Amino acid sequence: METRKIGILGAGHVGTHCAVSLMFQGLAQEIVLIDKDEKKAESQALDLNDMGACLSRKTIIRAGDYEDLKDAEILVNAIGRSRRPGETRLDMFEDSMERLKDIVPRIRKSGFQGILISITNPADVVGECLRRKLGMDRFRCFSTGTSLDSLRIKRILEEKTGYDRNSIDAFCMGEHGDSQMVPLSRVSIGGKPFLKLQKEHPDTLGKITLEELQEEVRQAGTTVIEGKGSTEFGIGIALSEIVSAVFHDEKRVWPLSVCLEGEYGQKNVAAGVPAVIGKNGVEEIFEIDLNEREKQEFDRSCDVIRGYLRQAEEMLK
């Protein structure tokens, strides 16, 4: 019988809620929480085990160490502190780079050979730095990127249009941060292009602007952090959806931050793009047509990420 084992680095808000979501969906037989605060990891695992007593599928969840990663199919990187009120994700750059100096040699020494999914902010930069330093294939080490932003744009569009979010096809691209963009020309509801719907309903849908949508997506995380100190539920379900696509070989198209090697005219940068997820991780980068304005916005976002990647190379020497 196949054993699905997942390691999670970081037993804080994000790492723990990833574990919760994985357990509710019955996606793993074993989850190992790894944290520098061993007592916290042990306590989180115990609390989650108590919850697991009510679930139909059994999941062994425990605290562990990097040695446990040797036979893990998936490793989730959720180390680091929460974003503080007033901070952007890029403001967490230096702190995250310092943490990478500690975990990279430990992951390498563990002999981990699975798929690495990084969440830690700034997500695009951290995920790509991990890939480069570990020498991993770009399709087996990537970041959740604009996954959470894409869930948010569906929620926002549902609120503004009245159509159910499950009938809305929309996503964000570029940085998981302030420079992210919404390719409005690719948004559809029930298969009908949103731009066409706007023309058909000028007094309602026609009044929704791209600038308004993008600003609301950008501010969504900030609003949550100012109110409760961290985001956790949305990214937890996003992570479990990605894991499900891997374990079930779904060939699902989902926005992820993947290293680009010519796709969308970009190289030497990782940015949020639609990607096909299957048993091998990312199996294809889904290139879609963007209009000229969208291309320019995506290019600008990639330039922001690329600039921080250059700084990271210097810091991680």
Side-chain angles (χ1 to χ4, degrees):
M1 180 179 175
E2 182 184 17
T3 300
R4 291 171 172 168
K5 181 177 180 181
I6 299 175
I8 299 178
L9 300 182
H13 290 285
V14 171
T16 305
H17 278 85
C18 285
V20 168
S21 188
L22 291 168
M23 289 176 71
F24 274 126
Q25 294 195 43
L27 289 170
Q29 276 74 52
E30 183 178 4
I31 298 174
V32 182
L33 298 178
I34 302 170
D35 197 287
K36 63 181 181 180
D37 186 340
E38 295 180 8
K39 277 194 171 182
K40 180 177 182 179
E42 290 169 358
S43 297
Q44 295 281 40
L46 182 60
D47 199 9
L48 287 167
N49 266 315
D50 290 342
M51 179 196 76
C54 284
L55 300 180
S56 58
R57 294 185 185 179
K58 181 179 179 180
T59 302
I60 297 170
I61 182 161
R62 61 183 178 84
D65 206 339
Y66 285 84
E67 295 176 356
D68 291 295
L69 300 179
K70 186 174 183 179
D71 59 345
E73 282 89 356
I74 290 177
L75 171 60
V76 178
N77 172 41
I79 61 165
R81 62 174 177 82
S82 298
R83 183 158 57 111
R84 300 184 183 111
E87 282 187 323
T88 70
R89 296 172 184 88
L90 290 173
D91 289 331
M92 303 171 71
F93 171 73
E94 291 188 8
D95 184 73
S96 293
M97 290 303 105
E98 288 301 317
R99 292 172 189 268
L100 287 193
K101 291 178 183 178
D102 177 57
I103 71 168
V104 165
R106 292 170 182 255
I107 296 172
R108 187 183 295 119
K109 185 178 178 181
S110 74
F112 173 71
Q113 296 295 318
I115 294 169
L116 198 164
I117 306 170
S118 185
I119 298 174
T120 299
N121 281 319
D124 310 277
V125 179
V126 172
E128 177 61 3
C129 285
L130 276 172
R131 187 194 70 80
R132 293 180 183 182
K133 292 302 176 182
L134 292 170
M136 294 183 68
D137 181 88
R138 64 176 180 146
F139 287 169
R140 295 183 66 81
C141 180
F142 47 85
S143 159
T144 49
T146 53
S147 293
L148 182 53
D149 305 290
S150 298
L151 296 180
R152 288 169 173 161
I153 191 64
K154 286 190 176 187
R155 170 184 59 78
I156 291 166
L157 281 168
E158 178 186 62
E159 292 169 355
K160 290 183 175 298
T161 67
Y163 295 111
D164 184 85
R165 67 187 69 182
N166 292 316
S167 298
I168 298 172
D169 186 12
F171 50 88
C172 297
M173 294 176 62
E175 178 203 358
H176 174 49
D178 289 349
S179 71
Q180 60 84 17
M181 48 83 69
V182 179
L184 197 62
S185 68
R186 300 294 96 196
V187 174
S188 64
I189 300 178
K192 180 178 283 191
F194 183 67
L195 294 178
K196 186 175 182 180
L197 280 167
Q198 285 190 300
K199 291 179 181 178
E200 293 175 357
H201 305 279
D203 294 332
T204 53
L205 303 185
K207 293 183 178 179
I208 300 172
T209 67
L210 175 62
E211 290 76 15
E212 178 185 3
L213 289 174
Q214 293 193 152
E215 184 60 23
E216 287 199 37
V217 175
R218 289 169 183 152
Q219 291 301 316
T222 299
T223 300
V224 173
I225 286 166
E226 289 177 348
K228 56 174 273 190
S230 67
T231 59
E232 50 205 328
F233 298 109
I235 192 60
I237 193 67
L239 181 278
S240 66
E241 291 295 302
I242 297 166
V243 170
S244 177
V246 172
F247 281 158
H248 297 143
D249 195 23
E250 293 176 4
K251 313 299 185 188
R252 182 174 185 177
V253 179
W254 186 269
L256 295 171
S257 183
V258 187
C259 177
L260 302 176
E261 295 183 354
E263 296 89 357
Y264 294 97
Q266 294 290 333
K267 290 185 177 180
N268 302 316
V269 69
V273 292
V276 180
I277 313 172
K279 64 181 179 181
N280 297 311
V282 172
E283 300 196 345
E284 177 187 355
I285 292 177
F286 219 63
E287 291 195 74
I288 61 171
D289 293 329
L290 301 176
N291 62 36
E292 194 57 39
R293 174 179 177 175
E294 291 164 351
K295 287 178 184 176
Q296 291 175 1
E297 288 185 341
F298 182 72
D299 289 347
R300 280 196 294 269
S301 189
C302 286
D303 286 342
V304 171
I305 300 166
R306 189 180 286 107
Y308 277 87
L309 283 171
R310 293 194 191 102
Q311 293 183 49
E313 287 292 328
E314 292 298 315
M315 291 183 68
L316 297 176
K317 279 184 177 178

